[in-house]
Amino acid sequence: RRKPFPNDFLWGGSTSAYQVEGAWNEDGKGPSVIDMAKYPEGTTDFKVASDHYHRYKEDIALFAEMGFKAYRFSIAWTRIYPNGDGEVNRKGIEFYDQLINEIRKHGIEPIVTIYHFDLPYALQEKGGWSNRATIDAYENYCKTLFEHFGDRVKYWLTINEQNMMILHGEAIGTVDPNLKNPKKELYQQNHHMFVAQAKAMALCHQMLPDAKIGPAPNIVTIYPASSKPEDVLAANNYAAIRNWLYLDMAVYGRYNNIAWAYLEEKGYTPTILEGDMEILQNAKPDFIAFNYYTSQTVAASEGNEEDVNQTGDQHITVGEPGVYKGASNPHLKKNEFGWEIDPVGFRTTLREIYDRYHLPLIVTENGLGAIDQLEEGDVINDTYRIEFLRNHIEQMQLAISDGVEVFGFCPWSAIDLVSTHQGISKRYGFIYVNRDEFDLKDLRRIRKQSFYWYKQVISSNGAN
Ligand code: BGP
């Protein structure tokens, strides 16, 4: 028996500032770690992206046409505070004022990610998340956002995919990979982000009693590569290190014991100052937001160094000698970028999270990156994307029928944008942005086949 989606279900879409806005140095915006990072050869930078900064009105109108009930986007810290802290940039506040007003004008609920990978470069130069001063800068930035936008924004997300930033620190550019022990440093940064997140949650509740705030990690179900007990143990380890470390801290304010034992064994334990645990325990989220693209399969590792270079979820290598190593799942098909497609794993993930925490869930990312073909007459026949989303929505409905409380679905991405590692040729949107990797063309917006399909999903509250 299938339960229907709740009447007020938040169907929507997602983006992040650096991937969609462009205008990277306009109106007083400071540089972020993303602006200063090296891009993989053959892919564009984020300077113009989808030019949403200048075209947001047109974009929001298209989201409204699709029937969006919610739109999840991030605020660029460096537009509000070009140096991370210090002077507020009025133009930055003005931009998000207008953006939020535009969203609300169309009756869409704004869901704001406070920080999505784009740490101000000025803070990075002073040590970034390794420096406890970044916690204060983040808290101050949150205070400014709550003050200015709290009257119109009810849903807040603290930090996007903190777990991916820690597991793949080199990729995001917040840690120097040449450090003697980058992992130890990353787990110190992790601890500081936990404290920053807890402060944001407490401050939000204090300043905005009607608002809701939660974490937004990337959570996926972890399969053992076989029923061999050592493989099952490895999957259990990896789930603790990859998933539960983050959510146990956000919800209960404590380090997951399996993850902590791993940190101790590897010599990665962070320094915890007096008062930190109290801050962590005193803050609670109102919901859990999470991103899901693919599942992950792991096997036991005998301790070989090459065990780190194994198949990874989201195509990033996964493995730690002696603890676990990534494995591919023979039961799953891969997308054209090598990511395994696993809608049933989505249902399992929703069940696992809800069973552990009993908090309402919202999916803040899910989608298919693909190379779309623009055909004659402005047609993009992205049936593969429709199939991907249809299968995931179906499994989400089954999870709701299992008793899981899900209140929204914001797939990645509302509109085409620049992928974190793979340029703009890897597209996720319902709306095509007419540009190539290095040729900006006219940047015009074109509705894809999936646009019309999703519109009908929303208007029928989930029939597809
Ligand atoms: C998530 C990030 C997004 C987005 C997405 C797709 O991890 O939160 O910012 O980039 O993954 O990944 P990619 O762009 O690498 O295909």
Side-chain angles (χ1 to χ4, degrees):
R1 199 180 65 87
R2 281 198 200 185
K3 279 195 196 152
F5 286 93
N7 282 335
D8 51 359
F9 193 76
L10 294 176
W11 295 102
S14 244
T15 63
S16 89
Y18 75 89
Q19 293 175 276
V20 77
E21 285 178 2
W24 76 289
N25 61 358
E26 278 180 48
D27 292 337
K29 179 182 170 298
S32 73
V33 293
I34 303 280
D35 298 316
M36 305 304 279
K38 285 211 168 55
Y39 308 100
E41 198 149 326
T43 67
T44 180
D45 53 34
F46 296 93
K47 292 190 164 77
V48 177
S50 303
D51 198 34
H52 178 70
Y53 189 79
H54 299 114
R55 295 166 196 249
Y56 69 91
K57 285 196 179 164
E58 182 187 352
D59 295 344
I60 306 294
L62 285 164
F63 301 163
E65 188 185 321
M66 255 187 291
F68 274 22
K69 311 275 185 226
Y71 172 45
R72 179 237 182 186
F73 62 98
S74 80
I75 291 185
W77 188 339
T78 50
R79 284 199 199 283
I80 307 296
Y81 285 105
N83 294 314
D85 53 12
E87 281 284 295
V88 176
N89 174 32
R90 301 301 323 170
K91 293 252 180 192
I93 301 277
E94 266 168 42
F95 172 68
Y96 290 107
D97 255 333
Q98 288 160 8
L99 180 72
I100 291 165
N101 290 344
E102 194 67 21
I103 295 167
R104 290 190 56 99
K105 191 179 98 190
H106 287 282
I108 300 174
E109 187 73 51
I111 301 177
V112 172
T113 314
I114 295 171
Y115 162 48
H116 192 126
F117 298 164
D118 50 357
L119 186 74
Y121 191 68
L123 295 180
Q124 181 62 20
E125 282 192 304
K126 291 185 251 168
W129 284 108
S130 300
N131 182 349
R132 286 187 74 104
T134 298
I135 302 174
D136 303 330
Y138 176 83
E139 191 186 12
N140 176 55
Y141 162 55
C142 288
K143 184 165 173 268
T144 303
L145 298 191
F146 298 155
E147 255 163 29
H148 286 277
F149 311 121
D151 58 335
R152 286 155 294 159
V153 175
K154 183 170 158 206
Y155 294 98
W156 298 90
L157 308 171
T158 53
I159 299 178
N160 180 68
E161 294 195 356
Q162 181 178 328
N163 57 338
M164 296 313 246
M165 282 196 270
I166 298 308
L167 289 160
H168 310 293
E170 351 55 65
I172 312 290
T174 53
V175 75
D176 176 0
N178 304 316
L179 281 177
K180 217 171 78 220
N181 194 348
K183 284 220 170 159
K184 182 165 173 61
E185 195 56 36
L186 278 162
Y187 281 104
Q188 188 63 55
Q189 296 188 355
N190 192 41
H191 181 71
H192 295 157
M193 283 191 224
F194 280 150
V195 175
Q197 166 169 274
K199 289 192 165 200
M201 293 194 294
L203 189 67
C204 181
H205 290 140
Q206 183 200 322
M207 290 177 65
L208 310 169
D210 296 329
K212 294 183 187 301
I213 187 164
N218 180 307
I219 303 294
V220 306
T221 196
I222 316 281
Y223 302 113
S226 78
S227 53
K228 192 169 121 195
E230 286 78 6
D231 287 346
V232 176
L233 188 69
N236 199 255
N237 280 334
Y238 191 51
I241 296 164
R242 189 201 185 287
N243 295 334
W244 314 134
L245 169 61
Y246 298 88
L247 288 179
D248 283 3
M249 185 56 85
V251 178
Y252 303 128
R254 62 170 187 245
Y255 272 98
N256 173 280
N257 59 296
I258 301 169
W260 187 260
Y262 152 83
L263 296 178
E264 277 186 327
E265 192 181 314
K266 292 281 176 184
Y268 300 155
T269 46
T271 303
I272 299 176
L273 295 194
E274 216 189 303
D276 283 358
M277 292 318 291
E278 209 183 315
I279 293 169
L280 291 164
Q281 274 150 21
N282 285 340
K284 296 265 172 283
D286 301 291
F287 59 82
I288 293 172
F290 75 103
N291 302 343
Y292 176 93
Y293 289 89
T294 178
S295 54
Q296 175 67 43
T297 302
V298 298
S301 157
E302 264 88 64
N304 307 322
E305 278 305 318
E306 58 275 17
D307 282 357
V308 292
N309 290 318
Q310 301 291 326
T311 316
D313 54 297
Q314 302 201 187
H315 219 50
I316 307 176
T317 54
V318 164
E320 178 114 28
V323 193
Y324 58 88
K325 64 178 178 192
S328 56
N329 189 324
H331 308 289
L332 300 175
K333 285 201 198 116
K334 291 187 166 86
N335 73 17
E336 59 189 308
F337 292 89
W339 300 21
E340 288 170 346
I341 300 178
D342 187 7
V344 175
F346 185 40
R347 178 182 181 183
T348 310
T349 305
L350 285 155
R351 289 159 63 142
E352 283 184 301
I353 302 174
Y354 192 68
D355 254 11
R356 283 182 77 97
Y357 305 106
H358 299 282
L359 282 173
L361 307 183
I362 178 166
V363 181
T364 38
E365 286 182 36
N366 172 242
L368 180 72
I371 300 188
D372 293 336
Q373 295 307 330
L374 177 59
E375 292 168 33
E376 281 256 330
D378 273 359
V379 170
I380 297 113
N381 217 345
D382 56 343
T383 47
Y384 36 88
R385 184 167 292 110
I386 295 174
E387 191 196 337
F388 180 99
L389 288 168
R390 174 181 284 140
N391 292 337
H392 283 78
I393 290 171
E394 187 186 4
Q395 293 299 322
M396 176 168 61
Q397 187 171 11
L398 289 171
I400 290 174
S401 310
D402 296 332
V404 177
E405 203 183 330
V406 190
F407 69 97
F409 182 66
C410 293
W412 189 265
S413 48
I415 183 169
D416 281 350
L417 39 70
V418 183
S419 146
T420 301
H421 313 288
Q422 292 172 295
I424 188 133
S425 313
K426 183 189 197 186
R427 296 172 184 272
Y428 283 91
F430 296 109
I431 300 161
Y432 189 88
V433 174
N434 190 39
R435 61 161 288 185
D436 283 345
E437 223 53 71
F438 300 106
D439 179 358
L440 291 176
K441 297 187 174 171
D442 58 8
L443 286 158
R444 78 178 187 283
R445 283 35 182 161
I446 304 164
R447 296 166 184 81
K448 300 184 192 176
Q449 218 34 55
S450 56
F451 178 103
Y452 300 105
W453 169 81
Y454 194 45
K455 181 178 158 112
Q456 173 268 319
V457 170
I458 299 176
S459 67
S460 61
N461 199 25
N464 66 86

